[in-house]
Amino acid sequence: MTAQTHDKVIILDFGSQVTQLIARRVRESGVYCELLPFSTPLTDIRARAPKAIILSGGPASVTEKDSPRIPKGLLDMGVPVLGICYGLQAMCDELGGKVETSDKREFGRAAIQLDDSKLFSGVLKKEVWMSHGDSVTALPPGFSAIARTNTCPYAAIADEKRKFYGVQFHPEVVHTPDGARMLKNFLLNIAGCRADWTMAAFRDEIIAKIREQVGKGRVICGVSGGVDSTVVAALLHEAVGDRLTCIFVDTGLMRHNEAAEVVGLFRDHFNIPLIHEDAGALFLDRLADVDDPEQKRKIIGKTFIDVFTGAEKKAGEAEFLAQGTLYPDVIESVSPHGGPAVTIKSHHNVGGMPKDVKFKIVEPLRMLFKDEVRALGRELGIPEKFIGRHPFPGPGLAIRIPGAVTAEKVSILQKADAIFIEELHKNNLYNETWQAFAVLLPVKTVGVMGDGRTYDHVLALRAVTSVDGMTADFAALPHDFLGHVAARIVNEVRGINRVVYDITSKPPGTIEWE
Ligand code: XMP
């Protein structure tokens, strides 16, 4: 699925850690783009009719024989090209310039002197982020330098006639304050792309595409209350109306009141047909006395599928299954040394659906990043509460109750967690954290309340900041805030008499406790 009506930019990935950032900056400037591995055959690139091409950075060195190269013929397509770092070096090498390995790597901020070039129009902050070992030492014919730093005479180069540009620095990172402006200049002023990639336009387009794919067919969509599945369901409903049935497997392991909110959103707010499988008792029954985390995950995964499969039958005959796959799951990532491209999959897919050959798959979010999914959700009128909600694991509270899970423990944890989350909202800290939750520990400690001695559970609070959940820092929540939350929990939730705060980052810790 691609957005044919938009001008399209291709980003060729040479393995940089920040290639996805380039894609996001491009889309933020209103231009649609796709990310492809550097090894993509030229015919595939041509078939996409790109209006501009960006070559990403990468960890390899063009001075090595087997390092990644620009696809043969790419630079003859007559399409404007911007090379970033390794991309610039690969372009130079290809066009007859010279690239050499210097003895020291240049890494960090650098002041830059800019010539009068279209690439720099409106750029005010003369500061860039450098991260390279190799440098261009001789320019290819037709090129000239358009920017330099103290250590790098070819910090940016151009062959304005062919519209080939190269920057040794990284315009896509925030440490290059006017980098987004430079990218926009390249896309709009140099390559002439139209800035018409908006969520409103995408919504109309995607709805038309879904209708084309589904025809008169029926669609099933699993929903969890998470933003991705909610957006998928809302889109599908606009596209095919009542030929969509949503299935909500309620594990009984969700946050306080969450199941009721999901049902309310679908039935009342959107009026989407929803099968609510209230399977809490079954999940608890199968989890009884199980305390190994992986075992819990397996049981929950299997039970989820059993319940979902049962619900499918109630939904009637459907040919299609809608899924909330996002672009980062689709992009083929390039291994650092230009080796074979591999698809990196999340290691957490519990609660996801097995590949079911019975269904044809509809994946309307395949081309979107998470922040774009949120923007689309707003466009579709999904309440902010669902859009900005922290991520929640498929196995739910079962992995936040180390040891055996019981109905009583789930209920205690839900109450404590709800207080923490409510206070985060009240104190404008919810959006400052990436994920925050409570963990009910299988440890009892002594306390005093009033005149009596208590012997109750310890509760751990966990809050982290993160970009993608792969790494995370513990959130530095104010002490008085934490003290207030702890006091409320101990006073209001029976069964907890002590609260601790987890100050471990990831790595070495994980975000969840199990
Ligand atoms: P960890 O604990 O590995 O978590 O640092 C990273 C992110 O993944 C979520 N998570 C899961 N999500 N099924 C899921 O759907 C799981 O089994 C699972 N385990 C962890 C976690 O909440 C965090 O956002």
Side-chain angles (χ1 to χ4, degrees):
M1 180 203 329
T2 50
Q4 254 105 32
T5 54
H6 300 286
D7 285 341
K8 184 182 301 173
V9 171
I10 297 292
I11 300 166
L12 278 191
D13 183 11
F14 286 93
S16 154
Q17 300 283 324
V18 288
T19 305
Q20 285 199 22
L21 268 185
I22 306 175
R24 295 177 58 156
R25 297 284 169 269
V26 171
R27 291 194 184 181
E28 276 161 20
S29 58
V31 180
Y32 181 74
C33 65
E34 288 179 17
L35 229 161
L36 299 175
F38 70 87
S39 51
T40 306
L42 188 67
T43 44
D44 292 359
I45 297 173
R46 270 189 200 285
R48 290 173 157 86
K51 187 95 178 165
I53 294 171
I54 297 180
L55 311 171
S56 88
S61 169
V62 294
T63 63
E64 283 160 21
K65 205 168 98 284
D66 295 327
S67 53
R69 300 290 149 167
I70 299 172
K72 280 271 163 284
L74 185 103
L75 298 174
D76 301 322
M77 282 171 62
V79 173
V81 176
L82 172 68
I84 296 176
C85 197
Y86 185 86
L88 152 96
Q89 294 161 5
M91 181 161 67
C92 273
D93 190 63
E94 193 69 29
L95 294 173
K98 196 160 179 199
V99 178
E100 287 177 282
T101 303
S102 32
D103 23 340
K104 52 175 192 299
R105 261 184 89 75
E106 186 183 11
F107 183 80
R109 273 176 228 277
I112 193 163
Q113 187 205 327
L114 307 173
D115 292 352
D116 190 16
S117 159
K118 272 187 176 173
L119 191 65
F120 302 132
S121 117
V123 169
L124 300 174
K125 304 210 179 79
K126 313 253 157 77
E127 191 180 298
V128 296
W129 185 259
M130 289 288 199
S131 171
H132 64 117
D134 292 357
S135 294
V136 173
T137 52
L139 293 181
F143 277 81
S144 54
I146 55 170
R148 57 208 61 76
T149 69
N150 277 342
T151 49
C152 184
Y154 302 124
I157 63 172
D159 174 344
E160 312 236 348
K161 241 209 215 122
R162 285 189 283 180
K163 298 190 178 172
F164 288 167
Y165 288 77
V167 291
Q168 183 54 72
F169 55 86
H170 287 271
E172 70 276 25
V173 304
V174 288
H175 312 293
T176 301
D178 272 344
R181 175 87 212 194
M182 297 176 196
L183 285 170
K184 200 167 179 173
N185 285 339
F186 171 70
L187 297 167
L188 307 191
N189 304 342
I190 295 168
C193 299
R194 278 170 296 149
D196 58 1
W197 167 252
T198 62
M199 272 307 137
F202 180 74
R203 164 197 170 144
D204 295 346
E205 237 165 73
I206 199 68
I207 286 174
K209 292 230 166 73
I210 294 171
R211 286 188 181 138
E212 198 180 301
Q213 185 188 356
V214 170
K216 294 252 167 288
R218 296 188 58 82
V219 190
I220 282 180
C221 177
V223 296
S224 64
V227 59
D228 304 343
S229 65
T230 307
V231 170
V232 170
L235 262 181
L236 258 298
H237 190 241
E238 285 214 10
V240 306
D242 286 356
R243 281 182 288 122
L244 167 74
T245 304
C246 289
I247 297 176
F248 170 40
V249 175
D250 180 354
T251 59
L253 301 165
M254 300 181 70
R255 288 165 286 202
H256 176 69
N257 221 14
E258 195 169 9
E261 284 172 7
V262 173
V263 174
L265 177 76
F266 283 87
R267 293 219 178 118
D268 307 333
H269 185 89
F270 281 125
N271 202 12
I272 299 178
L274 177 78
I275 297 177
H276 174 203
E277 288 292 334
D278 186 354
L282 177 66
F283 278 89
L284 277 182
D285 188 48
R286 293 203 184 164
L287 283 169
D289 302 323
V290 177
D291 53 17
D292 177 67
E294 286 316 302
Q295 200 55 29
K296 285 185 190 173
R297 279 191 171 80
K298 284 207 184 99
I299 291 172
I300 292 169
K302 160 121 191 16
T303 309
F304 184 94
I305 290 164
D306 292 348
V307 176
F308 195 94
T309 315
E312 258 169 44
K313 301 206 175 80
K314 297 185 198 163
E317 282 300 301
E319 285 177 79
F320 295 92
L321 179 72
Q323 289 187 332
T325 315
L326 304 194
Y327 200 35
D329 303 326
V330 173
I331 298 169
E332 282 186 68
S333 71
V334 167
S335 78
H337 303 292
V342 289
T343 306
I344 294 187
K345 287 256 149 58
S346 150
H347 58 299
H348 298 309
N349 53 7
V350 178
M353 289 303 299
K355 281 262 169 271
D356 195 333
V357 284
K358 194 169 90 196
F359 291 110
K360 293 181 191 146
I361 304 294
V362 186
E363 292 177 314
L365 310 182
R366 268 181 85 78
M367 288 301 174
L368 300 186
F369 289 108
K370 189 86 181 184
D371 48 344
E372 293 176 314
V373 173
R374 294 205 166 97
L376 180 59
R378 291 192 179 99
E379 191 66 40
L380 290 162
I382 296 171
E384 204 54 38
K385 191 187 207 170
F386 285 88
I387 295 201
R389 191 170 267 181
H390 287 166
F392 188 66
L397 300 184
I399 56 166
R400 293 178 180 171
I401 301 176
V405 180
T406 62
E408 192 199 355
K409 286 187 191 168
V410 170
S411 161
I412 294 175
L413 180 56
Q414 280 175 334
K415 287 180 196 139
D417 186 76
I419 292 174
F420 185 30
I421 300 300
E422 179 190 322
E423 289 294 336
L424 284 166
H425 278 297
K426 262 198 209 156
N427 291 277
N428 296 324
L429 290 166
Y430 187 81
N431 293 332
E432 306 291 307
T433 54
W434 192 78
Q435 199 172 10
F437 54 89
V439 183
L440 186 68
L441 303 188
V443 177
K444 286 192 165 186
T445 67
V446 173
V448 280
M449 272 188 106
D451 294 332
R453 173 184 178 281
T454 58
Y455 187 57
D456 277 329
H457 285 283
V458 181
L459 182 92
L461 299 179
R462 177 80 163 138
V464 297
T465 56
S466 178
V467 176
D468 52 12
M470 302 299 281
T471 61
D473 284 322
F474 74 88
L477 295 176
H479 285 184
D480 50 353
F481 168 79
L482 287 169
H484 173 66
V485 174
R488 270 199 66 189
I489 290 174
V490 172
N491 283 322
E492 295 173 35
V493 185
R494 285 192 83 147
I496 296 171
N497 70 352
R498 191 179 295 267
V499 176
V500 297
Y501 187 56
D502 180 354
I503 53 167
T504 321
S505 289
K506 172 183 180 177
T510 50
I511 296 176
E512 302 290 346
W513 276 43
E514 287 201 326

